[in-house]
Amino acid sequence: MDVFRMPSSEGMPRKVAIEFGEPGTGDMKFVLLGKQGFCVKLSVHRNILVENSNYFADKFSEQESGIPCLEISDCEDVEIYVETVGLMYCKDMKQWLIKQSVSRVVRILKLAELLGFNKCIQSCLEYLEAVPWVGEEEEEKVVSSVLRLQSEGIGVTPILKRVSSDVTKAPKDALFQIMELVLKSNEERGRREMKSIVLKLLKENNNLSNCAGSTDICYVTIYSSCRSCLNSLLSLFKQVTDPGSADIPIDNKETVVKRIALEADNLSWLLDILADSQAADEFAQMWASQQEMANLHEKLHIVSRYHVSFITARLFVGIGRGEMLPSKDTRHLLLQTWLQPLINDYGWLQHGCRSLDRKVVEEGIGRTILTLPLEDQQSILLGWLSSFLKAGHNCPNPQRAFEVWWRRTFIRPHVETQGSQFQSDSSMTSK
């Protein structure tokens, strides 16, 4: 017989006798005593065990050649032990392994390593290199098993190449290619699905504390993409506002408008990635510094430009939630540069951006304003009030921030003055 398949442990009797090779030709007994109380007696051939296993070769060399029986007590995996011994009699090990599951072959590999059964080790490695691994748990079992073998000098590189690369720049280059493909795609459904997938996977990276190096690579690549998109967006703004643009054919103008919306969407996605990672402070500084773009913004037709204001709204939401902590100067510059363009586009944003949550955006604007010194709060809120009284519902309404500023300006100083006067009167009375 080639290989004996043990019955399942649930239906397995307490004692089992198995004979390998030609019946009646075995020259020694091999007893396996399992931890679960099983006792398996094998009839084997000494020369087969010695030929295939370094462990048995050493074991028999230490004993008198006439000893007809070998006993292994406290055997952890009797079933796999029997199958591994049976593989020493197998003529086509690959053909037998191909019918097994990955987890079973990993168990056989572990025992083959202990027995020094090199032919079996090699066959198991060839199987594991070629077979698909299903799920992360199965992948982890295979990788941990072969890493142990690698430490013993056994060649497992073909398997490990499935999960790692010898090229140090591979992760960075691959991520850059992925980002470029997504950012340059014009197919709406594919873009949307891949943006969602990449965002989810990058979140998983951030949740793993042992991926710090990988996370740094991500940030470098993402910020490189941000700068590229910003440069492209500014170039498109200049193209549309150029005095000679009136002579541009209508089809070309529509293409430019679509590209502006596309680049704005790209920047919003990149900002989402950075905000989820609490790494968007630099983005806030970059966007706040786009005075040239903000000046050109008002020269564009609102249909062409309102997508850009969604980036500003997202930044205010992030600051309001504490997802990013840009400096005071950056927060002040962001409000000075982009709040008025956002106010001008707000009516279109509400109708054109389904993902815009008016209450969340207005809360974010208000909280951002309230992080500034009181004098700056007053200047910005009075400017907002002027716009709100003209535009009404088409203007963001950070009413809570206005009320907080009011109390800080008109009520708190009065209360503090009364408190000081009361303390002064009390001290005079006590004297």
Side-chain angles (χ1 to χ4, degrees):
M1 63 185 301
D2 282 342
V3 180
F4 177 83
R5 165 73 72 165
M6 289 281 289
S8 65
S9 57
E10 293 179 0
M12 182 177 169
R14 286 296 185 184
K15 294 183 179 181
V16 179
I18 303 170
E19 187 173 7
F20 288 108
E22 291 295 326
T25 62
D27 58 2
M28 70 171 295
K29 300 298 180 184
F30 188 4
V31 179
L32 296 172
L33 300 175
K35 288 186 176 182
Q36 300 86 358
F38 301 135
C39 176
V40 180
K41 294 182 179 180
L42 308 178
S43 178
V44 296
H45 301 75
R46 183 188 298 264
N47 66 310
I48 296 293
L49 270 59
V50 170
E51 180 183 331
N52 287 281
S53 167
N54 296 331
Y55 169 81
F56 288 128
D58 294 341
K59 194 80 172 174
F60 295 146
S61 67
E62 297 171 358
Q63 296 179 342
E64 297 179 14
S65 59
I67 295 180
C69 183
L70 178 66
E71 183 177 294
I72 303 292
S73 59
D74 292 330
C75 183
E76 292 186 2
D77 200 335
V78 173
E79 182 180 358
I80 294 300
Y81 212 120
V82 172
E83 289 197 344
T84 304
V85 171
L87 284 170
M88 296 179 186
Y89 291 80
C90 185
K91 296 178 181 179
D92 191 345
M93 204 177 299
K94 179 181 178 180
Q95 191 62 34
W96 185 85
L97 288 173
I98 203 171
K99 302 173 184 178
Q100 311 307 309
S101 65
V102 170
S103 59
R104 193 173 191 86
V105 172
V106 168
R107 288 161 65 193
I108 292 171
L109 175 62
K110 181 179 178 181
L111 183 58
E113 177 193 357
L114 293 174
L115 296 179
F117 187 2
N118 294 327
K119 183 180 176 183
C120 182
I121 291 173
Q122 188 58 40
S123 294
C124 288
L125 291 176
E126 290 174 1
Y127 166 90
L128 293 172
E129 189 278 329
V131 73
W133 308 332
V134 180
E136 292 184 11
E137 184 178 350
E138 191 163 274
E139 179 178 315
E140 181 61 32
K141 284 181 180 178
V142 174
V143 172
S144 61
S145 296
V146 300
L147 281 175
R148 186 178 63 249
L149 291 172
Q150 185 184 44
S151 65
E152 298 175 9
I154 297 174
V156 295
T157 301
I159 294 178
L160 293 178
K161 277 190 173 182
R162 192 186 290 192
V163 295
S164 63
S165 173
D166 296 332
V167 183
T168 55
K169 291 185 178 180
K172 181 180 179 181
D173 291 344
L175 180 61
F176 179 77
Q177 285 184 291
I178 291 167
M179 301 298 287
E180 283 292 290
L181 287 170
V182 175
L183 293 171
K184 291 181 178 180
S185 171
N186 292 315
E187 205 287 310
E188 184 177 352
R189 181 174 179 180
R191 266 174 61 87
R192 185 171 62 250
E193 291 185 5
M194 283 310 302
K195 281 164 59 181
S196 176
I197 291 170
V198 172
L199 182 60
K200 181 190 76 170
L201 294 174
L202 288 174
K203 280 183 180 180
E204 291 179 6
N205 269 31
N206 297 330
N207 293 333
L208 297 175
S209 58
N210 60 344
C211 289
S214 174
T215 303
D216 291 340
I217 290 171
C218 290
Y219 294 156
V220 170
T221 302
I222 292 167
Y223 269 111
S224 175
S225 297
C226 288
R227 283 185 283 272
S228 177
C229 290
L230 278 171
N231 291 335
S232 176
L233 191 58
L234 179 58
S235 175
L236 292 168
F237 268 41
K238 289 178 179 179
Q239 196 173 329
V240 174
T241 56
D242 183 72
S245 65
D247 300 328
I248 298 175
I250 293 177
D251 289 348
N252 290 357
K253 286 184 178 179
E254 290 178 353
T255 300
V256 172
V257 169
K258 289 179 180 178
R259 287 182 60 195
I260 289 174
L262 188 69
E263 293 295 359
D265 183 63
N266 286 338
L267 283 165
S268 297
W269 176 56
L270 294 170
L271 176 54
D272 279 338
I273 294 172
L274 293 167
D276 284 335
S277 310
Q278 288 79 50
D281 293 5
E282 184 181 343
F283 187 102
Q285 196 278 328
M286 290 167 59
W287 188 246
S289 301
Q290 298 297 315
Q291 283 91 353
E292 184 180 8
M293 190 186 300
N295 291 334
L296 294 173
H297 182 274
E298 64 180 11
K299 299 178 182 179
L300 271 70
H301 191 280
I302 193 167
V303 177
S304 307
R305 74 190 190 203
Y306 77 92
H307 295 282
V308 174
S309 289
F310 186 81
I311 301 167
T312 305
R314 179 65 182 89
L315 279 168
F316 286 138
V317 170
I319 295 171
R321 289 174 171 172
E323 294 174 338
M324 56 192 83
L325 301 172
S327 67
K328 174 176 68 67
D329 291 342
T330 296
R331 299 193 306 272
H332 192 199
L333 184 60
L334 178 64
L335 286 159
Q336 284 186 319
T337 305
W338 286 110
L339 179 58
Q340 191 58 51
L342 173 60
I343 290 172
N344 296 340
D345 294 348
Y346 202 63
W348 273 83
L349 270 178
Q350 292 179 79
H351 295 97
C353 296
R354 289 176 294 178
S355 58
L356 184 106
D357 188 322
R358 179 181 182 120
K359 291 183 179 179
V360 173
V361 171
E362 291 170 356
E363 186 77 14
I365 294 170
R367 290 182 176 180
T368 303
I369 294 171
L370 293 175
T371 64
L372 301 179
L374 195 60
E375 296 81 2
D376 294 328
Q377 294 176 36
Q378 177 175 318
S379 173
I380 292 169
L381 283 169
L382 289 181
W384 158 77
L385 182 60
S386 176
S387 298
F388 181 72
L389 293 174
K390 294 175 185 176
H393 187 73
N394 287 328
C395 177
N397 182 13
Q399 179 181 334
R400 293 183 183 178
F402 184 79
E403 292 175 358
V404 172
W405 165 78
W406 179 282
R407 295 188 188 100
R408 289 175 177 177
T409 302
F410 297 108
I411 299 176
R412 181 175 293 173
H414 178 66
V415 172
E416 290 174 351
T417 301
Q418 281 189 328
S420 299
Q421 183 64 44
F422 177 76
Q423 288 180 353
S424 177
D425 292 343
S426 297
S427 62
M428 291 288 290
T429 302
S430 62
K431 292 180 180 179

